[in-house]
Amino acid sequence: YTISASERDFILATWPDIWNLEGTAYRAFKTGQQPSNASPVYRFWSAANRVHFYTISAAERDQIIANWGYIWSYEGIAFYAHKKTGAPAGTFPVYRFWSSKLKKHFYTISEAEKSSIINNWGATWAYEGIAWYAYKPN
């Protein structure tokens, strides 16, 4: 997930055999354009697993840096979204899953996709709860 059009374009041009554009997953805010009630979503990269990890929790960010730095490299703030407390009307939960088999997380704003994963892919994906709140894409 990226909020940067230039990063998106670079990834698609550099690794077209690895990455596919699936469209906008949800709407969030860029640094400098976030409302005062939005919180940073932090991004990590795992070279070993070749995946990103995101969290809105500063405590989780600090725990990953302190205990899992050999797997996850902290990249900084990816974008801004809303925590459950104070999430404005019109935002929806973004659900987070972890796969110990695949060594990566999955995020979705779709309630139907969340339910399908829980009901059909429980052996692969463990539901971790709500990651943050964001706006649905247009």
Side-chain angles (χ1 to χ4, degrees):
Y1 303 90
T2 184
I3 202 163
S4 167
S6 60
E7 182 179 34
R8 176 203 62 210
D9 295 345
F10 174 78
I11 289 168
L12 292 172
T14 307
W15 298 290
D17 54 327
I18 296 173
W19 297 103
N20 295 316
L21 181 61
E22 294 182 340
T24 302
Y26 47 82
R27 300 230 178 253
F29 301 98
K30 293 180 180 180
T31 299
Q33 297 178 352
Q34 77 275 16
S36 61
N37 63 342
S39 297
V41 175
Y42 308 104
R43 184 167 96 167
F44 292 84
W45 170 251
S46 172
N49 299 330
R50 299 181 53 95
V51 295
H52 282 102
F53 165 65
Y54 302 82
T55 182
I56 200 167
S57 167
E60 186 174 39
R61 174 203 62 199
D62 295 345
Q63 179 192 26
I64 298 296
I65 291 169
N67 300 315
W68 298 94
Y70 63 97
I71 294 175
W72 297 102
S73 299
Y74 179 60
E75 293 187 328
I77 296 170
F79 51 84
Y80 288 79
H82 295 283
K83 293 182 178 180
K84 182 176 183 175
T85 304
T91 59
F92 294 85
V94 175
Y95 305 106
R96 185 170 106 179
F97 293 84
W98 166 251
S99 173
S100 56
K101 287 181 183 180
L102 302 173
K103 305 286 189 230
K104 64 181 177 178
H105 287 88
F106 176 74
Y107 306 83
T108 183
I109 199 168
S110 167
E111 181 73 34
E113 188 171 39
K114 171 197 155 207
S115 296
S116 177
I117 292 167
I118 290 170
N119 294 328
N120 301 310
W121 298 97
T124 302
W125 294 102
Y127 178 60
E128 292 189 317
I130 296 170
W132 54 79
Y133 285 75
Y135 295 92
K136 288 190 176 182
N138 295 337

